[in-house]
């Protein structure tokens, strides 16, 4: 039960409860991200359209990646070991350059549906990726009415899509860690270091480069676009250039802007709604009754139907959305028309020093009813250069701003082109031999997975590896004190180890020696931890 | 906050058990809604109201989707586990986080096992089982429920505190000399004397064993008897513990026990003189419908009983010489019979030490015939159902005739019968077939379960003589045995394994286990120290067993796990009779909703051994398990060495002969 709706998601029995709850949360938040509050979107759009959307999000969450990705429900990244670390750095710098525009909050760069670099928390990156992957898969499709393509030049194009963020996500974006010194009014954060590493583009913390290396190499990598790009290093605060827009940090800017000019913001959002042909004020009285009256049956059917159509996928999830008894119409209406200013204040109160995901979850638990109305409109700006996409989350007024779109477009165009060419050449190389072992390394903080399993046809050993990994992962997530484990069946022995930040699973391919299962110190299974330590070093996984 | 409920398809509560917390919360929930001055509703009604939505939605699911819930958890962290056996829906609830989903599932299966042991093949007919679990008469119902509730409480207590019930294997007292002497005594003196006595009223002692608390001192089975399965033996120990709970030392009584007023009624009295046994009055031999008669009897006996509260009902003290009827699995030369009636005599020698005799009752032949007929009708029913779906050709004609002639013979043997015979067209045979099965179960019930079916028994004098004989024999050992049962073996006896905190070694083929005692008492300092550390290690051991089971369910026979400051190992392996280690085979991975892994309720290990034997057809296969807990600072290679040495060392003691 959330937001006066009853949600039901069914799956096969093998999927652990934790995963399926997470999956439903993800699905709902994805829907809200692109369509806004659930109730409102069902008032604005036809049910068939929306059920198509549900199917789309569902298939995105399920499809495309390997079973291992499903186990950890993590993001797909490009294989960092196969490309030049400098490229990752360059991608990060492009993103930072874009942030010079005060209307740009954060962004990520994706290549062929995989992350190259991101500044956003994992949950948000996932949402952004849905749209990108979809457009990447169906590039020839004409743009839908709600998207306005305002620049199309050959392989390079940009588009904007309205999206909705919940307050904690906005807050996380508004508080880039480097600027916290000049923001005395913002609530204190208990663990700035953790926050910093989270919001840093993943390249910086992931590649073996030290901070020193970064400072040395960055000017040569992208000297033409960024004279002042070291937002990650605190010592460089002084060199942060006081360009007109960024003299105040974006959060402060946005806040003052909103509070002084709330009427403007209001009309902004109305503009968007008008562009869809329906304003909120039109939805009242009888028409609303019609919308909600016979919802139950039909909605379930449409959704199930559409899902089943487009769903020949592995797990066979079904989603059912059912409207709760609408006892709170008035209440809800009040929420919808609550002034933006008040919401903003609310947001301020809500800021805890917690990680955004945790906050998001807590909020879902505690004030599920309010969350519906508290989604804040934002715009997703995308700049596509063939398979490479720069996706930025920008303030709602960004598309109508006179200079900002141009500025961002031109500042990033050249470097994006360059990056695309580099990525294309480097990623075309054939993958090396996978080695006589399987491993999966899951980064809990960045929600990413490194494995040598993808790409090849799953053999029996791989399947047993995936099975054991799923089992160990669910064990680790239940038992916090568990540190490492070896489990063995007749066919395979898998070693799993975890720390606060990561989980690693390892299986050695070998003709399984006949063994009785009786305790035997010479058993090959117990040599796994050592082997894992040695083998995985070259994949950048340090288990020592 | 625990509850277990059995409901029929028509949402009628057939049985429930709650702990005091659950009862309180249910009463608060429904008592609060009452107007002032109005009496709060009867607790059974509250339970009905509480579970009605779940039961109804469950049956709707079955009707509409042909599928139902196996478990769900609510927003206030209550776990519900549901399981449907035939037409009875079992629901187990936990709201205090003390039990996991697996524990609840296990509890449901244990309750099923206990009803099978108490009611035998009556459980095969839902209609009859319903009547048996929920007799029309209130007093009788109280009695039945009270007994089952007591058994469940006993089981929960044992599972929480006794390692042998944790891993579901029988623990023996490790004292080979005494054990051997006792077995010899049971064989040569006791069983022989009883079976040759004229006072035995046609009964024949098949098994005799001596229990010291939950631990087995000696066990003897007569030559022509079928072996007693571990599952049955464990269930019998629950029954004995229910009659004579191990609360002889009040200081050692666990909080669980003292909370339950029901068991504590014995505490102020000498528990030997006032046992808590299901009361079976002497029936009138002429009356067929004994239930009603009994009802009248009870009404005259207990007028003071409050109707709506089970808690206030006094159980009249019962003659301890009355045997309990138990139904045990037997494999005879005639074939396999899952629920053969036996009489169980539970003779308390001293508090904590009990002699148990299991006798074959004279009319058990009928049970065999009934079982064979039931089998036949089940087959016939299946074929008829197949015929109904496919071609209507009457291919089941032959078994019908065969069955008819057999049943005619059977009826003649039985003397009287109210069985309707009608051979008609195929489509009308099906309900007839079902009806026939119910009738068979009814005969079985009349013979073995109904009041009065246990009127013959070993004479009291004979029982007394047997008791005195064994008492004399063990008089000098009494104190020793009681202490020994608390500290069977201790970690002190294993100085060659530094860093080893605890272990459990289980022989699954024999259903026996060895483990150092983990007694946690307030008074005595155990080896694990006092207070929190000992409790912590106990909790760790309990959780390790759960983890090992989880991996075994998915086909993993070796697990090592570093958890906090401890290092756990779990091994399962197979040997042949001479101790030669056999190769592991791929063990099937079971789905999450499969029966719990264990021996008591649904014998997983027996299936496992059968599965393995298919791969090694020529040999007798034995299955062993070893769980160890080490300190985490010990290097892994030493830990593995310990495990290997320990397995070798423990192989010997487990060879104490059962016979």
């Amino acid at each position: 039960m959330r937001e006066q709706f009853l949600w039901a998601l069914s799956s096969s029995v093998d999927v652990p409860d934790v995963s399926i709850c997470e999956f439903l949360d993800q699905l709902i938040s994805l829907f809200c991200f692109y369509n806004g509050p659930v109730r409102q979107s069902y008032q604005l759009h036809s049910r068939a359209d929306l059920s198509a959307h549900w199917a789309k999000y569902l298939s995105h969450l399920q499809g495309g990646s390997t079973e291992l990705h499903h186990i950890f429900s993590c993001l797909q990244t490009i294989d960092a070991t196969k490309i030049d670390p400098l490229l990752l750095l360059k991608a990060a710098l492009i993103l930072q350059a874009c942030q010079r525009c005060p209307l740009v909050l954060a962004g990520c760069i994706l290549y062929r549906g995989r992350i190259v670099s991101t500044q956003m928390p994992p949950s948000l990156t996932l949402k952004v990726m849905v749209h990108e992957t979809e457009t990447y898969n169906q590039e020839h499709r004409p743009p839908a009415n709600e998207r306005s393509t305002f620049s199309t030049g050959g392989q390079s194009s940009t588009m904007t899509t309205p999206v909705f963020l919940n307050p904690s996500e906005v807050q996380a974006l508004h508080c880039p860690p480097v600027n916290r010194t000049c923001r005395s009014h913002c609530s204190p954060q208990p663990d700035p270091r953790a926050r910093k590493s989270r919001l840093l583009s993943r390249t910086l913390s992931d590649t073996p480069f030290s901070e020193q290396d970064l400072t040395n190499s960055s000017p040569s990598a992208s000297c033409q676009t960024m004279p002042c790009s070291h937002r990650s290093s605190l010592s460089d605060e002084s060199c942060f250039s006081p360009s007109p827009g960024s003299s105040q940090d974006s959060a402060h800017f946005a806040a003052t802007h909103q509070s002084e000019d709330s009427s403007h913001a209001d009309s902004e959002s109305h503009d968007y709604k008008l562009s869809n042909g329906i304003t909120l004020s039109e939805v009242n009285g009888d028409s609303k009754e019609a919308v909600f009256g016979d919802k139950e049956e039909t909605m379930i059917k449409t959704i199930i139907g559409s899902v089943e159509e487009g769903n020949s996928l592995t797990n066979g999830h079904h989603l059912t959305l059912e409207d709760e008894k609408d006892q709170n119409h008035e209440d809800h209406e009040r929420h919808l028309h609550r002034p933006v200013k008040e919401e903003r204040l609310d947001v301020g109160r809500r800021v805890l020093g917690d990680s955004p995901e945790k906050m998001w979850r807590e909020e879902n638990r505690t004030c599920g009813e309010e969350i519906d109305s508290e989604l804040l409109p934002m715009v997703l700006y995308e700049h596509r250069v063939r398979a490479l996409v720069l996706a930025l989350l920008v303030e709602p007024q960004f598309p109508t701003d006179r200079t900002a779109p141009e500025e961002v477009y031109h500042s990033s165009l050249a470097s994006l082109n360059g990056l695309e060419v580099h990525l294309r050449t480097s990623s075309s190389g054939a993958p090396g031999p996978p080695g006589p072992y399987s491993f999966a390394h899951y980064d809990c903080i960045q929600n990413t997975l490194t494995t040598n399993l993808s790409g090849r046809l799953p053999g029996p050993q791989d399947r047993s590896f995936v099975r054991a990994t799923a089992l160990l992962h669910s064990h680790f997530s239940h038992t916090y004190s568990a540190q490492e484990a070896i489990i063995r069946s007749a066919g395979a022995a898998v070693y799993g180890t975890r720390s606060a930040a990561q989980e690693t699973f390892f299986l050695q391919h070998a003709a399984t020696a006949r063994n009785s299962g009786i305790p035997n110190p010479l058993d090959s299974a117990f040599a796994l931890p050592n082997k894992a330590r040695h083998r995985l070093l070259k994949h950048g996984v340090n288990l020592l | 906050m625990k509850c277990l409920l059995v409901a029929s398809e028509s949402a009628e509560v057939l049985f429930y058990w709650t702990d005091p917390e659950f009862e309180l919360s249910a009463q608060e929930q429904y008592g609060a809604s009452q107007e002032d001055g109005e009496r709060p509703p009867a607790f059974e009604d509250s339970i009905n109201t509480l579970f009605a939505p779940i039961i109804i939605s469950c049956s709707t699911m079955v009707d509409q989707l042909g599928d139902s819930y196996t478990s769900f958890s609510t927003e206030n962290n209550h776990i519900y586990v549901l399981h449907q056996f035939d037409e009875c829906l079992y629901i187990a609830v936990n709201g205090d986080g003390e039990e996991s989903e697996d524990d609840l599932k296990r509890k449901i299966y244990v309750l099923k096992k206990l009803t099978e042991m108490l009611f035998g093949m009556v459980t095969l007919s839902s209609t009859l089982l319903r009547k048996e679990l929920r007799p029309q008469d209130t007093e009788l119902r109280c009695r039945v429920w009270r007994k089952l509730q007591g058994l469940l409480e006993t089981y929960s207590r044992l599972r929480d505190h006794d390692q042998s019930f944790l891993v579901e294997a029988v623990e023996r007292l490790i004292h080979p000399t005494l054990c051997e002497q006792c077995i010899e005594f049971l064989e040569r003196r006791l069983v022989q004397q009883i079976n040759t006595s004229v006072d035995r009223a046609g009964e024949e002692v098949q098994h005799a064993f001596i229990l010291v608390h939950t631990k087995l001192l000696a066990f003897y089975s007569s030559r022509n008897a079928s072996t007693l399965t571990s599952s049955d033996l464990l269930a019998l120990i629950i029954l004995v513990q229910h009659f004579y709970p191990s609360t002889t030392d009040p200081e050692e009584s666990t909080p669980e026990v003292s909370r339950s007023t029901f068991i504590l009624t014995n505490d102020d009295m000498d528990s030997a003189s006032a046992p808590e046994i299901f009361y079976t009055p002497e029936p009138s031999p002429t009356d067929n419908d004994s239930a009603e008669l009994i009802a009248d009897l009870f009404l005259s006996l207990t007028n003071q009983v409050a109707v709506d509260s089970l808690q206030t009902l006094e159980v009249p003290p019962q003659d301890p010489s009355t045997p309990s009827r138990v139904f045990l699995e037997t494999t005879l030369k005639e074939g396999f019979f899952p629920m053969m009636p036996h009489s169980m005599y539970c003779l308390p020698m001293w508090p904590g030490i009990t002699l148990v005799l299991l006798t074959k009752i004279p009319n058990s032949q009928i049970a065999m015939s009934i079982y064979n007929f039931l089998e036949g009708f089940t087959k016939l029913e299946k074929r008829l159902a197949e015929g109904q779906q496919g071609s209507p050709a009457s291919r089941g004609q032959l078994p019908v005739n065969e069955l008819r002639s057999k049943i005619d013979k059977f009826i003649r043997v039985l003397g009287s019968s109210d069985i309707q015979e009608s051979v008609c067209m195929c489509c009308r045979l099906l309900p007839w077939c079902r009806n026939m099965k119910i009738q068979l179960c009814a005969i079985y019930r009349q013979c073995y379960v109904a009041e009065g079916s246990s009127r013959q028994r070993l004479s009291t004098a004979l029982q007394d003589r047997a008791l005195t004989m064994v008492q004399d024999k063990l008089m000098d050992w009494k104190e020793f045995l009681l202490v020994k049962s608390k500290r069977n073996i201790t970690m002190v006896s294993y100085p060659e394994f530094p860093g080893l905190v605890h272990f459990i070694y289980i022989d699954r083929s024999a259903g026996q286990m060895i483990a150092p005692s983990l007694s946690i008492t307030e008074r005595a300092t155990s080896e694990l120290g006092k207070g929190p550390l000992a409790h912590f290690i106990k909790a760790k051991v309990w959780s390790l067993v759960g983890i090992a089971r989880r991996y075994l369910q998915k086909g993993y026979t070796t697990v090592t796990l570093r958890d906090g400051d401890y290092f756990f190992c779990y091994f399962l392996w197979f040997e042949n009779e001479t101790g030669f280690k056999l190769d592991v085979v791929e063990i099937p991975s079971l789905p999450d909703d499969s029966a719990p892994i264990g021996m008591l309720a649904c014998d997983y290990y027996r299936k496992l051994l059968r599965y393995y034997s298919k791969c090694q057809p020529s040999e007798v296969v034995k299955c062993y398990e070893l769980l160890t807990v080490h300190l985490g600072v010990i290097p892994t290679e030493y830990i593995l060495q310990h495990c290997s040495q320990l397995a070798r060392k423990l192989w010997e003691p487990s060879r104490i002969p059962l016979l």
Side-chain angles (χ1 to χ4, degrees), chain A residues 173-190:
Chain A
L173 294 177
H174 274 162
C175 296
V178 280
N179 288 335
R180 66 182 177 283
T181 42
C182 59
R183 191 185 351 138
S184 53
H185 61 275
C186 209
S187 45
Q189 297 177 13

Side-chain angles (χ1 to χ4, degrees), chain B residues 169-307:
Chain B
V170 179
E171 186 171 3
R172 308 180 56 110
L173 277 186
I174 305 296
H175 196 292
T177 342
L178 182 61
C179 173
E180 213 166 309
Q181 280 178 23
C182 285
I183 292 171
E184 203 180 313
F185 179 81
L186 288 178
E187 179 187 2
R188 300 269 164 79
R189 308 280 302 281
L190 186 80
V191 174
Q192 211 170 40
Q193 250 192 46
I194 295 175
N195 284 350
T196 51
S197 163
V198 282
D199 294 336
R200 65 190 173 99
E203 299 201 7
E204 184 190 331
V205 177
Q206 301 225 304
H207 309 279
F209 56 91
I210 301 168
L211 283 177
V212 184
H213 294 303
T214 57
K215 295 181 180 63
L216 193 63
L217 171 64
F219 185 98
Y220 169 74
S221 286
S222 71
R223 305 235 175 274
N224 56 354
S226 151
T227 48
L228 190 64
T229 61
S230 317
S231 165
D232 283 339
L233 186 52
L234 284 167
L236 289 172
I237 295 177
I238 294 179
L239 206 59
V240 174
Q241 277 287 314
H242 166 67
F243 294 152
Y244 307 105
S246 304
T247 52
T248 45
D249 187 347
E251 280 173 85
E252 290 190 8
S253 71
T254 54
E256 274 74 9
V257 175
S258 50
R259 227 190 357 214
S260 132
T261 51
F262 168 56
I263 291 174
L264 263 189
T265 46
N266 284 346
D267 247 12
D268 2 2
M269 306 175 257
D270 179 8
S271 63
S273 67
E276 193 90 23
I277 295 189
F278 182 44
Y279 180 52
T280 316
E282 289 298 319
S284 148
T286 52
D287 201 322
N288 278 331
D289 198 356
S290 45
E292 272 178 33
L293 179 84
I294 306 301
D296 292 341
L297 249 170
F298 276 129
L299 272 178
S300 59
L301 270 172
T302 51
N303 289 328
Q304 78 279 22
V305 172
V307 177

Side-chain angles (χ1 to χ4, degrees), chain B residues 364-430:
Chain B
S364 59
Q365 286 296 329
I366 301 170
M368 291 189 202
S369 311
I370 290 177
Y371 180 71
N372 285 335
F373 287 126
L374 272 174
E375 281 270 87
F377 278 108
T378 311
K379 275 182 203 146
L380 179 64
E381 191 183 25
K382 209 174 144 201
R383 288 186 69 169
L384 286 171
E386 278 168 10
Q388 250 184 1
Q389 281 165 8
S391 62
S394 58
R395 16 196 271 221
Q397 210 53 45
L398 195 72
V400 173
N401 289 335
E402 203 179 302
L403 264 176
R404 258 200 83 190
S405 63
K406 271 190 188 168
I407 209 134
D408 282 343
K409 215 182 288 169
F410 173 62
I411 288 161
R412 249 175 279 131
V413 170
L414 212 60
S416 69
S417 163
D418 52 348
I419 298 165
Q420 299 297 309
E421 292 171 57
S422 62
V423 180
C424 52
M425 281 153 66
C426 198
C427 55
R428 281 165 60 194
L429 273 175
L430 204 53

